[in-house]
Amino acid sequence: HAHLVWCPPVSDPGDSRYEVIKPIQPSDLIYEVKLSDKGKEGKYRSIYNGDSLDCRLTDLHPNTEYHVRVQANLKSRNLKGGTSDTVSFLTKCTVPDQPQPPKLTQRSRTSLHLRWNAPSDNGKHILHYTLESDDGTGDIKRFKVVYDGRAKQCNVNKLQSSTIYKFRLAAVNELGSSPYSEVMNYSTQGSPPPQPQPPKVTEVTESSIHLLWSKRSCDDEFTLQMEDPKTGHGFLSQYNGTDTEHTVEKLGKNTTYRF
């Protein structure tokens, strides 16, 4: 943030022609403050209109050069005065911005590979990143550091299969640590399910066979394969998905198929 202070415009007593004009009362003045962060000759936007002789600027970016001007306007006659000289100031450096959460790029039964992008360093180079994870129990109070370094990726090893882990990321420069990123949940792969029972035939026509099978708690998706003895290509996939039944169509008459 920044605090701006200015003085009322000063009248010029040198010209006798203006002695009959009543002096301007401070209560009849209103001030407009304009700000630019696009350079001294860049576009200015109005950030304050009022009768005070000061204002506070908030929501400024760290390590950024700003340029400000003030203009006095006469309320009673709707007259705009000249603009003051431009004053420039540079906001201070600070800790890095909050990073975006890490993204999962690869996983196995016992590991998760994460990547992330660098946030704004706010004027001081990022020294390292801190990646934290829970122990798979979902308790955010049990976060521990699983990586601390300059790289923007990490392979987290020695994890339990079929387990959801929580991750959060922080960036650190010489002024301190950024706020932690949003917490993200990523799951390791599970163990392959055991061999299922064979599918059951529930209906047969001249050119189709309808099959049915059961779903266990460890099953997510199914692949149904069929062997056509006439082709000699072995078992080929006929269905992939989450359903527990499927009809294979366009079959030959009086032909034995294996599933």
Side-chain angles (χ1 to χ4, degrees):
H1 65 271
H3 185 205
L4 306 179
V5 179
W6 57 91
C7 297
V10 178
S11 57
D12 185 1
D15 195 328
S16 60
R17 290 178 299 171
Y18 299 109
E19 291 180 358
V20 296
I21 300 177
K22 294 181 179 179
I24 297 174
Q25 298 300 315
S27 60
D28 200 24
L29 290 174
I30 190 168
Y31 300 94
E32 181 180 14
V33 178
K34 295 182 179 180
L35 176 78
S36 169
D37 58 359
K38 301 292 190 290
K40 219 171 190 179
E41 305 303 322
K43 184 178 180 179
Y44 284 76
R45 68 181 189 275
S46 179
I47 59 169
Y48 173 79
N49 271 285
D51 55 10
S52 178
L53 293 175
D54 74 313
C55 74
R56 291 188 177 274
L57 309 184
T58 58
D59 298 326
L60 301 178
H61 297 294
N63 191 41
T64 302
E65 186 176 44
Y66 289 94
H67 311 275
V68 290
R69 301 168 177 172
V70 63
Q71 181 181 45
N73 302 322
L74 190 59
K75 288 189 293 184
S76 61
R77 299 188 181 184
N78 196 26
L79 293 176
K80 291 191 174 184
T83 302
S84 71
D85 293 337
T86 300
V87 174
S88 303
F89 64 92
L90 181 69
T91 52
K92 293 182 178 180
C93 301
T94 186
V95 300
D97 283 350
Q98 180 185 34
Q100 292 295 311
K103 296 181 179 180
L104 178 68
T105 59
Q106 192 173 356
R107 65 175 182 159
S108 70
R109 292 179 56 202
T110 59
S111 67
L112 295 170
H113 190 267
L114 306 177
R115 288 180 180 270
W116 54 86
N117 295 321
S120 172
D121 62 16
N122 289 331
K124 296 292 183 180
H125 292 302
I126 293 175
L127 302 177
H128 61 90
Y129 299 93
T130 301
L131 179 68
E132 293 187 353
S133 171
D134 74 336
D135 56 3
T137 62
D139 186 358
I140 60 175
K141 296 180 181 179
R142 303 182 69 173
F143 272 109
K144 63 179 181 180
V145 176
V146 294
Y147 173 77
D148 193 81
R150 300 185 66 179
K152 294 190 284 292
Q153 60 179 320
C154 173
N155 197 51
V156 185
N157 299 305
K158 299 180 180 179
L159 303 177
Q160 299 294 320
S161 62
S162 301
T163 304
I164 298 174
Y165 290 89
K166 296 180 179 294
F167 293 93
R168 65 183 183 182
L169 179 72
V172 180
N173 63 16
E174 66 179 68
L175 297 177
S177 174
S178 72
Y180 279 102
S181 70
E182 176 189 349
V183 175
M184 297 298 291
N185 298 331
Y186 296 121
S187 173
T188 52
Q189 289 182 340
S191 301
Q195 183 182 37
Q197 293 295 316
K200 296 178 180 180
V201 177
T202 60
E203 186 180 354
V204 178
T205 69
E206 291 181 346
S207 60
S208 68
I209 298 176
H210 186 78
L211 301 106
L212 187 70
W213 56 90
S214 59
K215 182 176 182 179
R216 304 163 298 181
S217 59
C218 60
D219 298 332
D220 290 327
E221 294 185 357
F222 302 97
T223 299
L224 177 68
Q225 294 185 332
M226 181 187 76
E227 182 185 46
D228 184 348
K230 293 182 179 181
T231 64
H233 295 318
F235 282 94
L236 301 176
S237 294
Q238 302 296 316
Y239 171 77
N240 284 282
T242 58
D243 291 342
T244 56
E245 58 181 311
H246 182 69
T247 299
V248 184
E249 301 176 326
K250 299 181 180 180
L251 301 178
K253 296 179 181 180
N254 195 29
T255 303
T256 300
Y257 297 92
R258 298 175 64 200
F259 293 91

